Amino acid sequence: MIAENARYWLQKGSGEKKQDQQTNYFKKALDYFKLALKLEPHGAEIYHTTAMTCYTLHKRYTGIVSFLYFLDAQNY
């Protein structure tokens, strides 16, 4: 359910026109992904979804999300 919340905020951010609001939505989504990884550290589906999300967002919105941010999420 937590990963689904992350996907919701990603979709909301993707449709947002204002850059600052878009960034806030993406950060909220990544916070949900971090929580999901913390609660289920061996959840392969969560890692896969998070990695694919970061990859997609990095390609689409350079500078907002990077793989380094995702890797840092593992430290929480």
Side-chain angles (χ1 to χ4, degrees), residues 42-60:
H42 302 293
E45 181 182 336
I46 297 169
Y47 278 102
H48 179 272
T49 304
T50 306
M52 292 307 297
T53 299
C54 288
Y55 176 75
T56 302
L57 292 176
H58 182 70
K59 285 184 69 171
R60 188 170 179 190

Side-chain angles (χ1 to χ4, degrees), residues 25-35 50 54 65 69:
Y25 290 149
F26 289 152
K27 286 180 180 178
K28 187 177 277 197
L30 288 172
D31 286 342
Y32 274 108
F33 276 128
K34 283 195 259 184
L35 178 59
T50 306
C54 288
V65 177
Y69 193 86

Side-chain angles (χ1 to χ4, degrees), residues 1-35 49 53 57 60-61 64-65:
M1 181 57 98
I2 293 170
E4 289 300 318
N5 284 334
R7 289 185 195 103
Y8 167 79
W9 289 109
L10 286 170
Q11 288 178 338
K12 190 165 175 93
S14 294
E16 180 61 48
K17 303 285 187 226
K18 297 178 185 172
Q19 182 77 23
D20 59 335
Q21 190 63 38
Q22 184 183 61
T23 302
N24 288 337
Y25 290 149
F26 289 152
K27 286 180 180 178
K28 187 177 277 197
L30 288 172
D31 286 342
Y32 274 108
F33 276 128
K34 283 195 259 184
L35 178 59
T49 304
T53 299
L57 292 176
R60 188 170 179 190
Y61 306 103
I64 294 176
V65 177

Side-chain angles (χ1 to χ4, degrees), residues 60-74:
R60 188 170 179 190
Y61 306 103
T62 302
I64 294 176
V65 177
S66 71
F67 283 106
L68 293 177
Y69 193 86
F70 166 66
L71 292 174
D72 185 50
Q74 296 180 44

